[in-house]
Amino acid sequence: MKQHKTMKAAIVGTGFIGKQHYEAIRRLPNTGVVAVVDADATKIAAFAQEYGIEHAFTSMEELLDNLEIDVVHICTPNFLHYPMAKLALERGVNVFCEKPLSLTAHESEDLVRIAKDKQVHHAVNLNYRSNVMVREMRHRIQNEQIGNVLMIQSEYIQDWLMFDTDYDWHFLPKMVGPSRTVADIGTHVFDIVQFVTNSKIKEVFANLVTVYPQRFQREQRGETFSQEYVGEAKAVDVVNEDAAMIIARLDNGAQVSIVLSQVTGGYKNGLEIVVSGSKSSLTWKQEMADRLIVGNRLGGNEMLYADPKYVDRSLSDFISLPNGHAVGWADAFKNSIHEFYKTIQNDVYQSDSIVDFNEGHYLMKLVEATLESNKTKQWVTIHE
Ligand SMILES: NC(=O)c1ccc[n+]([C@@H]2O[C@H](COP(=O)([O-])OP(=O)(O)OC[C@H]3O[C@@H](n4cnc5c(N)ncnc54)[C@H](O)[C@@H]3O)[C@@H](O)[C@H]2O)c1
């Protein structure tokens, strides 16, 4: 078997998601996290020491000036994705960037241009498409096992911002961009809908909802989801959306309905997709990530577990455990990074596993189309 050179990775931003990148990379063969970067100097030194990482820096520039790496993982708040990805691409470093790719489609278009020019590998982390049962759903739809696709429903519902005292950088447009919920979790839904149907969303009609016109801001301690605050509360206006109701049309004509919310009590990471076909339906729920439900009108429903015996042979690499030892969020996350690393090592795109910057850019156009539709109360068409 061909032995690949060891992949030297660096992680920029060591908050909630940066740590997940670190753990996922540690599960991959022949890879190493050689450096971590965070603006918080005390935190990054302690992090590097605790995890035994050789190098710690406080800026991306310092990292790239001092170290040769194969890939950089950008895990910082949204407004830093564009400048950081741009810098890495310009230095010829492969980039694995968190979603959303940028604040605007104008920025993501620029990244697509630079990436093409520099001939490096690039991907956006839309990790759910690397879940094996999502891939099995796509496989079955492609093979017409559910007949013709009639319509698609998807929702992504959470409660981490349900109180008016919940407040962090996601409420600041200069850090998060013009959209919060759609850019944050809507991008996952757009990607999964497009991935399983192998189609593009061409038109959207959106109604965005802000449930609290004002929230109470305090200084947040810790990372995203920590909900630890200190100091006096100050009332501040909320300018971005807590929820969204979107209807959409795919380029193959199928109709889609999407509900997003970050303010619905009891729902934690409630991503779900239902694809209705003329013979049967398929349902995948993120909180039961190792199952795929086949809905039949006659003969009863089936619930498939993630196991090489029950999914297409080509997908067995996406399963790291036997059925019942539930593959879940962290496994899809690891797969997402693994597929990108194989792309770098083989210098060939692993086809449908990678969301490259072109696709990341299209997702930004979808976010902007959603905002425009909400404003104009019209259908908006997305152009290639
Ligand atoms: N793929 C997913 O499912 C998923 C899930 C959660 C978050 N995310 C994305 O990951 C990104 C980060 O989100 P998070 O929840 O980890 O945020 P976070 O606030 O928990 O962590 C962000 C980290 O970036 C650091 N940072 C800030 N400015 C920096 C700079 N200039 N240089 C280096 N580090 C800097 C902060 O100190 C912090 O440690 C966001 O874009 C978010 O959309 C993706």
Side-chain angles (χ1 to χ4, degrees):
M1 201 173 162
K2 193 173 157 197
Q3 173 80 19
H4 290 293
K5 76 174 184 98
T6 302
M7 290 275 294
K8 287 191 278 177
I11 298 173
V12 184
T14 52
F16 165 67
I17 211 69
K19 290 200 192 81
Q20 306 309 315
H21 282 247
Y22 177 75
E23 293 198 359
I25 297 167
R26 289 288 305 266
R27 290 175 65 188
L28 301 178
N30 227 356
T31 60
V33 176
V34 294
V36 279
V37 181
D38 202 288
D40 183 332
T42 321
K43 185 174 121 177
I44 200 60
F47 185 92
Q49 193 181 25
E50 186 184 352
Y51 288 90
I53 299 163
E54 209 177 333
H55 302 277
F57 301 106
T58 51
S59 78
M60 176 95 163
E61 287 81 356
E62 213 189 327
L63 163 75
L64 297 176
D65 286 347
N66 286 287
L67 219 56
E68 275 210 4
I69 49 169
D70 298 304
V71 57
V72 63
H73 290 239
I74 299 175
C75 304
T76 47
N78 306 6
F79 76 106
L80 292 165
H81 295 180
Y82 168 68
M84 287 180 165
K86 184 168 187 258
L87 185 63
L89 293 174
E90 284 171 346
R91 302 276 190 104
V93 176
N94 302 302
V95 183
F96 191 75
C97 186
E98 264 306 337
K99 49 52 44 178
L101 178 54
S102 55
L103 296 187
T104 64
H106 183 66
E107 288 180 351
S108 52
E109 187 176 17
D110 200 34
L111 291 178
V112 168
R113 184 188 55 76
I114 302 167
K116 198 168 163 202
D117 199 37
K118 292 291 172 185
Q119 298 289 310
V120 293
H121 294 292
H122 39 90
V124 189
N125 188 28
L126 276 309
N127 36 302
Y128 295 109
R129 69 157 74 180
S130 291
N131 171 285
V132 65
M133 299 321 259
V134 171
R135 302 186 72 82
E136 176 67 12
M137 186 182 233
R138 172 179 160 99
H139 174 79
R140 287 173 180 238
I141 294 169
Q142 301 315 295
N143 287 291
E144 297 178 4
Q145 282 169 257
I146 64 164
N148 301 323
V149 171
L150 305 175
M151 61 178 189
I152 297 113
Q153 294 146 249
S154 186
E155 62 181 37
Y156 201 155
I157 302 185
Q158 307 178 316
D159 69 3
W160 65 289
L161 298 174
M162 79 174 280
F163 300 132
D164 64 2
T165 46
D166 296 322
Y167 198 90
D168 70 3
W169 60 264
H170 292 86
F171 290 87
L172 302 171
K174 66 175 194 270
M175 292 183 83
V176 79
S179 157
R180 171 167 34 101
T181 305
V182 177
D184 192 28
I185 53 178
T187 45
H188 278 303
V189 172
F190 294 151
D191 183 62
I192 208 168
V193 166
Q194 295 189 131
F195 178 67
V196 298
T197 56
N198 199 23
S199 301
K200 284 260 167 67
I201 297 173
K202 289 309 289 178
E203 289 176 297
V204 291
F205 189 98
N207 180 36
L208 306 188
V209 181
T210 301
V211 296
Y212 301 117
Q214 281 202 323
R215 284 183 181 248
F216 295 93
Q217 178 186 15
R218 285 187 297 155
E219 190 191 326
Q220 192 195 25
R221 286 278 155 87
E223 56 203 29
T224 301
F225 305 120
S226 72
Q227 286 154 356
E228 284 174 43
Y229 304 97
V230 289
E232 283 289 300
K234 181 174 85 173
V236 287
D237 291 342
V238 175
V239 295
N240 55 27
E241 74 284 359
D242 295 310
M245 291 101 179
I246 303 167
I247 49 175
R249 291 191 195 117
L250 297 181
D251 56 9
N252 67 7
Q255 312 285 326
V256 187
S257 88
I258 295 170
V259 178
L260 309 173
S261 167
Q262 299 188 310
V263 290
T264 302
Y267 287 83
K268 306 304 175 189
N269 203 29
L271 170 59
E272 177 172 334
I273 178 164
V274 182
V275 179
S276 305
S278 52
K279 292 186 193 157
S280 56
S281 69
L282 293 172
T283 299
W284 180 77
K285 299 172 192 248
Q286 195 290 135
E287 292 184 1
M288 287 169 53
D290 65 328
R291 316 283 165 88
L292 182 65
I293 300 163
V294 184
N296 298 308
R297 194 171 88 167
L298 308 171
N301 298 342
E302 300 160 65
M303 189 186 281
L304 298 178
Y305 280 65
D307 188 279
K309 289 191 288 294
Y310 312 135
V311 302
D312 187 68
R313 198 181 284 218
S314 66
L315 301 177
S316 52
D317 280 357
F318 288 81
I319 301 176
S320 35
L321 292 161
N323 57 175
H325 304 70
V327 299
W329 189 90
D331 299 283
F333 206 86
K334 185 253 309 177
N335 293 338
S336 184
I337 297 173
H338 197 189
E339 292 303 298
F340 185 56
Y341 281 19
K342 286 194 263 178
T343 290
I344 298 172
Q345 288 168 322
N346 299 327
D347 205 18
V348 175
Y349 265 92
Q350 299 294 118
S351 63
D352 62 18
S353 338
I354 311 289
V355 182
D356 69 9
F357 279 11
N358 295 296
E359 281 193 81
H361 172 48
Y362 196 81
L363 293 173
M364 291 315 302
K365 290 203 268 190
L366 279 168
V367 172
E368 289 191 349
T370 305
L371 293 176
E372 188 188 334
S373 170
N374 177 61
K375 206 159 137 192
T376 59
K377 308 289 173 221
Q378 304 279 331
W379 280 92
V380 175
T381 304
I382 299 93
H383 299 284
E384 290 281 341

